[in-house]
């Protein structure tokens, strides 16, 4: 990038919010994926107008722009693979309005998900999308990746709560989509189109989301299974029985052993799978649902069922699941958290496949899953400095994806495509779907400057 | 200079970004450059040879408060604090220190110099404020809110050995930090009184010196080592059940920082580990024996509302947080109110508040807000650095007093029988 362009860009936001110092650039060359690439300048706009002015310059000069939030994303969405500008939106961090009368909140993209959760919770409401990274993930990032979380099974993902957006397009135009109404069928649903577009269609600068009342109570049950098949059969049986838990999580033996080794929580290390189930709602319904779930678990040969009597006990049960990623991370320096998703009925088949593929490639893997929605997180642990091992990990990923697709699944449940999954797009979508996607990209971003090198 | 273990640890940072949520400087700046993950990335590039040490590299490392919150929280278990401290040793190697720091270190490396500096400060302070009425600030603290130094160094006012009047139940050595020695002598007196009333004999080795944490945490290992070795010789040879500290920073230095520093420098750390095993914060000893304390049970009127601030070096450096709370709950007439973010850094960070004035101020403001929200009349804490920061930033009209926990214990002691 020419120096005078950098100067022009820096002038838009002021010298305090622009930098091209190498010491600063290295801190914006990565996210939680394994690759790294340096940008040429990092800008921290605080208004839609500033973002628009930045895009006008970038568009005129054909400079690549990678938008970025907290950078906790796992598929490489915020790595500026073609250099250029990183537009970091973390300083646009105001909750602009919470309107409990019409069940909406309006926020800037840099608001951290958990901060919004806390703000609405105080008022008796809940914003359901709750990615595991919610304490650092920004709202802009969660919208751009259509993030989910443990509550997805009952409450859905980000797109299900998104009502409207303000988005700066590649040429600097400001697009407003949707609005503050819960119902809206005016024209194409551009809001949903932009949700999950990973910064390839525009830069989100304002977000309107829907809130729901906070559930009155919740109950947690843990069940241990000798056989993995029984474990996932139980998942299907619970759902078939007409109960939709808020969360229904599974951990395989490797994961449970890793957690036990690191944290000594007293988990059974000889079982093939553990389920954690949380139901929420009114107290009377919960009582009935827990009984019904316990009956199903027994029928599916659970060897041990623990129902938490109170919140503290529930917290202890959930600690095992919350510690899973951490425990796996401590085995080796690096980790790829896969994100393939299959229909719930094929969960066991997919887990078996994952383990078989990783064993064949000599890779250690632990699997935990949002079992209720079929979203698997096989975590492959490795050392990035061992190039040969890293190649084996990538090979295992290559082999995993077709298996998931063959089982009726999808490339990504919630982490997105980014760099990690981009090569697999032709496997997951047919030529017609790809053609339409490229047409949309060409319309929104004719010069291809928005987050280039990513999935489209 | 980096040890292999530390370099290995760096590669365990998987850049997940979870450290952002606990890092006081990231929460203010919202920039990776001020986040543990970003700083680790800078260290990585330095070690790989793509970045040379520059003022910006120095700023990234020196703007870290070393509050240890990231290391305590890191899902991958990366010892980020240790990584940064090692990198600071590297910085010192190349850069040296600014003039103000060199003066500070020169003072801390020799007790007599420290006392002269403190006496000069005492004279200067009263001259500027009392005589000339000037409104000056040191870092973020108005000069009139800086505590007046002791009239005489605390250690010089104390005999080498103090024996309890009643039955002796134990024997401890007292490591007197610079803060107590030069400024907060009352804390030292409270320590001694409480220990003696518990029947504990106290040895106060006279030739002990500064723990050196302010030096080696800033990267000045060369200035720190002679002090460290001197203290280790003294406290390794004294025959006691425990070595007691009233300063969170001294405590965490003796308990954790010094053994790790010596290891990182490839030196023999055996003696430091023997000493470390005996180090206890005063609140640990008092909490253990709180039922044996002769506490006055004459509670009248409204209970005094007290909130407790966890010093970084006490909660994460020494693993002490329940003990002071237990003590406060057991004092009659005191009601303990929890503040939000009690375990978050106060923004002081030793000399940090003088080197990073703006960042420090923002962090302290948050703390101040949380303290006010409790409505407490007193803030108790266990670190003179936090005390200085908090007292210096709480305004006059809110009437919030900041004290060391042990001082509240002393205030509750029953009068000694004649």
């Amino acid at each position: 990038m020419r120096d005078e362009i950098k100067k022009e860009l820096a002038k838009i936001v002021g010298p305090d919010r622009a930098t091209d110092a190498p010491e600063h650039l290295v801190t914006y060359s990565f996210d939680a994926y394994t690759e790294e690439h340096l940008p040429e300048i990092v800008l921290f706009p605080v208004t839609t107008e500033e973002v628009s002015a930045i895009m006008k310059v970038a568009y005129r000069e054909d400079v690549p722009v990678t938008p970025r939030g907290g950078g906790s994303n796992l598929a490489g969405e915020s790595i500026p693979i073609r250099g250029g500008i990183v537009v970091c939106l973390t300083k646009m961090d105001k909750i602009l309005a919470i309107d409990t009368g019409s069940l909406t909140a309006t926020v800037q993209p840099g608001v951290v998900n958990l901060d919004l959760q806390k703000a609405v919770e105080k008022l008796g409401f809940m914003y359901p999308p709750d990615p595991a990274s919610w304490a650092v993930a920004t709202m802009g990032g969660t919208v751009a990746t259509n993030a989910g979380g443990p509550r997805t099974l009952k409450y859905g993902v980000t797109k299900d709560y998104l009502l409207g957006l303000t988005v700066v397009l590649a040429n600097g135009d400001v697009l407003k989509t949707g609005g503050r109404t819960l119902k809206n069928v005016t024209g194409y649903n551009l809001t949903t189109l932009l949700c999950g577009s990973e910064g390839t269609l525009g830069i989100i600068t304002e977000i309107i989301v829907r809130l729901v009342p906070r559930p009155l109570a919740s109950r947690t049950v843990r069940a241990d299974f000798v056989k993995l098949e029984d474990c996932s059969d139980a998942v299907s049986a619970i759902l078939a029985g007409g109960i939709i838990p808020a969360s229904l999580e599974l951990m395989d033996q490797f994961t449970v052993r890793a957690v036990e080794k690191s944290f000594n929580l007293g988990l059974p290390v000889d079982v093939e799978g553990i389920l954690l189930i949380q139901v929420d709602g009114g107290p009377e319904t919960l009582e009935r649902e827990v009984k019904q779930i316990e009956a199903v678990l027994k029928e599916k040969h659970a060897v041990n069922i623990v129902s938490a009597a109170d919140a503290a006990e529930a917290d202890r049960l959930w600690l095992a699941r919350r510690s899973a990623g951490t425990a796996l991370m401590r085995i080796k320096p690096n980790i790829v958290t896969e994100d393939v998703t299959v229909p719930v009925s094929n969960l066991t088949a997919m887990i078996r496949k994952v383990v078989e593929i990783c064993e064949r490639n000599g890779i250690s893997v632990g699997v935990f899953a949002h079992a209720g929605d079929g979203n698997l997180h096989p975590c492959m642990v490795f050392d990035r400095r061992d190039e040969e091992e890293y190649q084996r990990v990538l090979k295992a990923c290559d082999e995993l994806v077709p298996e998931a697709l063959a089982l009726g699944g999808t490339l990504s449940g919630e982490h997105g495509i980014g760099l990690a999954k981009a090569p697999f797009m032709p496997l997951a979508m047919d030529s017609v779907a790809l053609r339409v996607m490229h047409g949309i990209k060409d319309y929104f971003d004719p010069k291809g400057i928005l987050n280039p090198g990513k999935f489209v | 200079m980096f040890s292999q273990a530390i370099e290995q640890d760096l590669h365990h940072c998987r850049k997940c970004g979870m450290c952002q949520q606990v890092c006081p400087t990231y929460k203010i700046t919202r920039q990776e450059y001020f986040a543990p993950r970003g700083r680790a990335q800078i260290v990585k590039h330095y070690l790989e040879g793509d970045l040379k040490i520059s003022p910006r590299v120095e700023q990234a490392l020196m703007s870290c408060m070393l509050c240890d919150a990231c290391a305590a929280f890191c899902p991958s278990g990366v010892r980020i604090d240790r990584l940064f401290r090692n990198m600071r040793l590297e910085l010192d190697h190349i850069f040296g220190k600014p003039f103000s720091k060199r003066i500070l270190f020169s003072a801390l490396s020799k007790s007599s110099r420290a006392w002269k500096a403190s006496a000069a400060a005492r004279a200067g302070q009263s001259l500027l404020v009392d005589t000339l009425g000037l409104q000056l600030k040191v870092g973020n603290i108005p000069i009139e809110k800086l505590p007046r130094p002791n009239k005489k160094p605390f250690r010089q006012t104390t005999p080498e050995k103090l024996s309890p009047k009643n039955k002796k139940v134990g024997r401890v050595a007292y490591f007197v930090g610079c803060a107590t020695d030069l400024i907060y002598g009352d804390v030292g007196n409270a320590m001694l009184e409480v220990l003696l009333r518990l029947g504990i004999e106290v040895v106060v080795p006279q030739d002990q010196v500064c723990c050196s944490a302010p030096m080696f945490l800033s990267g000045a290992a060369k200035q720190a080592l002679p002090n460290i070795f001197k203290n280790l010789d003294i406290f390794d040879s004294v025959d006691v059940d425990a070595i007691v500290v009233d300063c969170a920073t001294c405590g965490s230095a003796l308990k954790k920082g010094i053994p790790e520093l010596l290891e990182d420098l490839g030196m023999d750390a055996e003696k430091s580990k023997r000493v470390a095993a005996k180090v206890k914060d005063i609140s640990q000893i008092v909490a253990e024996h709180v039922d044996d304390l002769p506490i006055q049970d004459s509670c009248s009127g409204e209970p005094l509302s007290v909130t407790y601030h966890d010093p970084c070096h006490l909660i994460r450096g020494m693993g002490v947080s329940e003990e002071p709370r237990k003590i406060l709950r057991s004092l009659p007439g005191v009601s303990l109110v929890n503040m939000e973010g009690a375990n978050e850094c106060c923004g002081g960070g030793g000399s940090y508040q003088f080197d990073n004035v703006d960042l420090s101020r923002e962090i302290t403001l948050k703390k101040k807000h949380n303290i006010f929200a409790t409505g407490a009349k007193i803030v108790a804490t266990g670190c003179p650095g936090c005390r200085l920061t908090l007292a210096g930033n709480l305004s006059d009209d809110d009437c919030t007093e900041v004290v060391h926990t042990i001082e509240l214990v002393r205030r509750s002691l029953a009068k000694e029988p004649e």
Side-chain angles (χ1 to χ4, degrees):
Chain A
M1 198 188 309
R2 294 198 316 274
D3 270 355
E4 56 266 35
I5 304 175
K6 283 190 186 174
K7 275 188 194 131
E8 191 179 352
L9 289 166
K11 218 172 152 191
I12 294 168
V13 290
D16 289 351
R17 290 190 277 113
T19 179
D20 65 345
E23 297 88 347
H24 296 150
L25 296 182
V26 298
T27 65
Y28 284 94
S29 64
F30 63 86
D31 55 25
Y33 185 56
T34 51
E35 302 295 318
E36 290 178 20
H37 198 97
L38 287 174
E40 290 159 88
I41 188 167
V42 184
L43 305 170
F44 299 88
V46 291
T47 62
T48 301
E49 292 69 33
E50 284 181 357
V51 177
S52 167
I54 291 166
M55 287 314 301
K56 278 179 184 149
V57 175
Y59 191 75
R60 191 190 72 215
E61 300 292 339
D62 267 332
V63 179
V65 178
T66 306
R68 175 190 177 100
S72 58
N73 47 299
L74 292 154
E77 289 93 335
S78 20
I79 300 168
I81 204 77
R82 303 263 161 85
I85 306 166
V86 160
V87 172
C88 183
L89 297 144
T90 47
K91 287 182 192 272
M92 290 181 77
D93 60 350
K94 307 256 173 332
I95 296 175
L96 300 170
I98 296 175
D99 181 353
T100 51
S102 59
L103 291 175
T104 63
T106 307
V107 300
Q108 289 189 315
V111 169
V112 171
N113 181 291
L114 188 61
D115 290 341
L116 176 65
Q117 305 279 3
K118 284 183 186 159
V120 301
E121 202 170 282
K122 274 187 206 149
L123 305 170
F125 292 83
M126 169 167 89
Y127 173 64
D130 61 339
S133 54
W134 69 348
V136 295
T138 57
M139 287 297 291
T142 55
V143 171
T145 54
N146 192 7
R151 293 200 287 235
T152 298
L153 173 59
K154 181 168 180 178
Y155 293 99
V157 293
T158 302
K159 76 170 163 50
D160 301 313
Y161 294 88
L162 198 56
L163 298 176
L165 292 171
T166 302
V167 179
V168 176
L169 300 181
N171 63 3
D173 285 353
V174 177
L175 166 71
K176 296 213 176 208
T177 77
R180 286 172 55 221
T181 58
L182 301 187
K183 288 175 167 178
N184 191 339
V185 285
T186 316
Y188 294 132
N189 193 339
L190 297 176
T191 313
T192 306
L193 174 63
L194 283 150
C195 179
S197 66
E198 300 183 8
T200 62
L201 300 181
I203 300 182
I204 298 162
T205 59
E206 205 171 296
I207 301 159
I208 307 170
V209 295
R210 186 160 75 93
L211 308 174
V212 299
R214 211 176 71 193
L216 295 170
S218 68
R219 296 279 304 274
T220 295
V221 180
R222 191 190 91 201
D224 311 333
F225 294 86
V226 174
K227 282 173 67 192
L228 191 61
E229 280 75 9
D230 289 338
C231 187
S232 47
D233 276 359
V235 175
S236 299
I238 290 167
L239 299 178
I243 297 174
I244 308 285
S247 305
L248 216 179
E249 303 281 305
L250 179 153
M251 292 197 286
D252 79 341
Q253 193 174 47
F254 187 91
T255 310
V256 170
R257 286 182 176 174
V259 171
E260 236 356 68
K261 194 168 169 243
S262 279
F263 301 103
N264 294 311
L265 300 176
L267 299 173
V269 292
D270 50 349
V271 296
E272 282 195 347
I274 285 181
L275 283 186
L276 266 170
I277 305 146
Q278 182 175 311
V279 285
D280 65 12
E284 304 82 13
T285 11
L286 287 189
E287 200 59 39
R288 179 171 51 76
E289 287 185 347
V290 167
K291 280 205 180 109
Q292 200 179 326
I293 286 171
E294 284 171 344
V296 173
L297 294 170
K298 268 183 212 140
E299 192 192 305
K300 294 296 170 189
H301 317 296
V303 285
N304 181 32
I305 300 170
V306 192
S307 298
D310 54 31
E313 213 176 304
D315 269 354
R316 270 199 297 283
L317 295 183
W318 278 103
L319 184 61
R321 171 63 180 83
R322 280 199 300 270
S323 311
T326 303
L328 291 167
M329 275 179 223
R330 290 185 181 190
I331 297 174
K332 282 193 172 191
N334 300 92
I335 193 167
V336 163
T337 311
E338 250 293 349
D339 180 36
V340 287
T341 304
V342 294
V344 176
S345 48
N346 285 336
L347 201 60
T348 311
M350 191 63 216
I351 296 177
R352 296 276 186 220
K353 271 285 171 209
V354 168
V355 173
E356 181 211 308
I357 289 170
C358 289
E359 261 173 17
R360 187 155 24 84
N361 286 289
I363 300 291
S364 301
V365 68
V367 184
F368 52 89
H370 307 302
D373 51 49
N375 187 188
L376 274 78
H377 290 316
C379 291
M380 291 173 241
V381 294
F382 61 101
D383 189 335
R384 181 69 177 84
R385 289 165 295 174
D386 181 346
E387 192 55 36
E388 195 268 334
E389 187 182 31
Y390 182 50
Q391 291 307 321
R392 279 187 280 127
V393 168
L394 295 181
K395 185 157 169 282
C397 291
D398 282 357
E399 291 175 23
L400 266 179
V401 169
E403 293 294 347
L405 298 175
L407 288 170
T410 178
L411 274 187
S412 168
E414 57 188 9
H415 295 174
I417 304 299
L419 289 173
K421 295 286 181 66
F424 303 115
M425 284 297 274
L427 280 182
M429 300 191 112
D430 64 25
S431 59
V432 179
L434 285 173
R435 194 180 72 222
V436 171
M437 295 230 318
H438 284 121
I440 293 169
K441 171 72 175 170
D442 284 345
Y443 178 80
F444 273 85
D445 181 19
K447 290 184 161 190
I449 58 170
L450 275 167
N451 210 358
K454 303 300 154 65
F455 72 85
V456 66
Chain B
M1 195 187 253
F2 268 74
S3 70
Q4 231 181 352
I6 298 294
E7 258 197 86
Q8 180 65 30
D9 209 27
L10 175 60
H11 290 282
H12 273 266
C13 170
R14 59 167 300 232
K15 307 174 292 181
C16 66
M18 292 300 153
C19 49
Q20 288 174 0
Q21 66 189 288
V22 294
C23 176
T25 56
Y26 178 80
K27 285 201 273 192
I28 301 293
T29 61
R30 311 289 316 275
Q31 287 177 44
E32 294 284 358
Y33 175 72
F34 292 102
R37 161 172 90 159
R39 292 178 174 121
Q41 192 75 1
I42 289 175
V43 176
K44 191 184 104 178
H45 280 269
Y46 165 73
L47 290 174
E48 285 171 353
D50 324 328
L51 276 185
K52 294 209 176 353
I53 285 184
S54 66
R56 279 198 204 90
V57 168
E58 192 177 19
Q59 189 201 19
L61 271 299
M62 299 311 283
S63 64
C64 162
M65 311 219 50
L66 297 186
C67 71
D68 285 9
C70 52
F73 184 79
C74 176
S76 304
V78 178
R79 281 293 308 276
I80 310 173
D81 56 328
R82 204 167 172 177
L83 177 74
F84 292 172
R85 205 179 55 221
N86 271 263
M87 187 67 192
R88 287 179 172 196
L89 297 178
E90 203 95 334
L91 294 175
D92 189 63
H93 225 52
I94 296 172
F95 262 135
K97 286 279 155 280
F99 185 61
S100 57
K101 278 237 157 143
R102 272 183 304 181
I103 294 198
L104 175 71
F105 295 165
S106 154
L108 291 179
S109 63
K110 214 169 167 208
S111 297
S112 57
R113 275 187 223 145
W115 173 246
K116 278 179 199 151
S118 151
R122 184 183 165 78
Q125 194 181 12
S126 53
L127 175 77
L128 294 169
V129 181
D130 301 345
T131 318
L132 300 174
L134 291 181
Q135 290 188 318
L136 296 173
K137 268 192 164 188
V138 181
N140 285 315
I141 304 177
I143 201 163
E144 73 275 11
K145 287 207 164 192
L146 284 173
R148 298 282 163 111
N150 296 336
K151 286 188 178 140
K152 222 175 163 195
F154 171 79
R155 282 207 310 267
Q156 286 180 21
T157 65
T158 310
E160 185 132 21
K161 194 176 101 182
L162 295 98
S163 300
K165 281 186 188 160
N166 35 8
K167 204 177 134 240
K168 193 173 112 180
V169 299
R171 180 178 153 92
V172 299
Y174 178 14
F175 183 89
V176 185
C178 299
T180 294
D181 197 37
L182 303 174
I183 308 170
Y184 296 119
D186 280 350
V187 173
N189 291 322
M191 275 272 287
L192 295 177
E193 189 174 337
V194 172
L195 286 170
L196 292 172
R197 293 292 292 274
L198 279 171
I200 297 172
E201 185 171 78
V202 189
V203 184
V204 190
Q206 288 297 306
D207 40 358
Q208 57 179 293
V209 287
C210 166
C211 74
S212 293
M215 290 181 250
F216 71 77
L217 291 178
S218 299
K222 229 186 301 162
Q223 290 93 322
L225 285 172
N227 271 18
I228 289 173
F229 294 140
K230 189 168 182 191
N231 281 331
L232 288 180
D233 284 343
I234 295 168
F235 285 92
D236 187 43
S237 60
V238 57
D239 178 29
V240 289
D241 312 322
I243 299 161
V244 190
V245 290
D246 60 18
C247 164
T249 302
C250 300
S252 80
L254 291 166
K255 189 125 204 112
K256 198 164 98 172
I258 289 170
E260 285 180 359
L261 174 75
L262 296 179
E263 269 176 11
D264 291 348
L265 292 172
M267 293 174 169
D268 180 7
E270 277 317 302
K271 195 184 276 185
S272 69
K273 284 180 184 168
R274 278 201 301 273
V275 169
K278 283 191 179 178
V279 172
K280 277 190 175 174
D281 183 69
I282 179 64
S283 66
Q284 291 177 287
I285 293 184
V286 175
E288 211 177 301
H289 301 287
V290 75
D291 298 333
D292 309 331
L293 264 179
I295 285 174
Q296 214 163 11
D297 204 8
S298 61
C299 168
S300 58
E302 283 281 296
L304 181 67
S305 63
V306 177
T307 191
Y308 177 76
H309 160 70
D310 286 294
C312 298
H313 285 157
L314 201 50
I315 184 166
R316 289 176 288 274
M318 297 189 75
V320 172
S321 67
E322 194 32 53
E323 294 88 339
R325 290 183 168 84
K326 182 183 169 189
I327 296 170
L328 291 170
R329 275 195 296 264
S330 70
L331 297 181
V334 164
S335 95
L336 179 67
V337 275
N338 287 322
M339 78 168 98
E340 207 185 310
N343 63 357
E344 288 172 19
C345 178
C346 67
S351 61
Y352 186 93
Q353 55 195 318
F354 310 112
D355 301 335
N356 296 273
V357 176
D358 295 338
L359 263 176
S360 159
R361 182 190 309 118
E362 296 281 333
I363 298 166
T364 306
L365 272 176
K366 250 172 89 177
K367 189 79 207 186
K368 200 167 143 177
H369 173 83
N370 288 341
I371 291 173
F372 284 178
T374 65
K377 285 282 164 241
I378 289 188
V379 186
T381 190
C383 170
C386 301
R387 180 180 181 178
L388 188 86
T389 309
L390 296 176
N393 282 281
L394 294 171
S395 66
D396 289 325
D397 44 33
D398 56 63
C399 308
T400 306
E401 190 192 358
V402 188
V403 298
H404 192 291
T405 311
I406 197 69
E407 290 177 286
L408 287 182
V409 178
R410 186 203 207 180
R411 287 181 200 176
S412 302
L413 288 180
K415 235 180 139 202
E416 209 160 1
E418 294 298 320

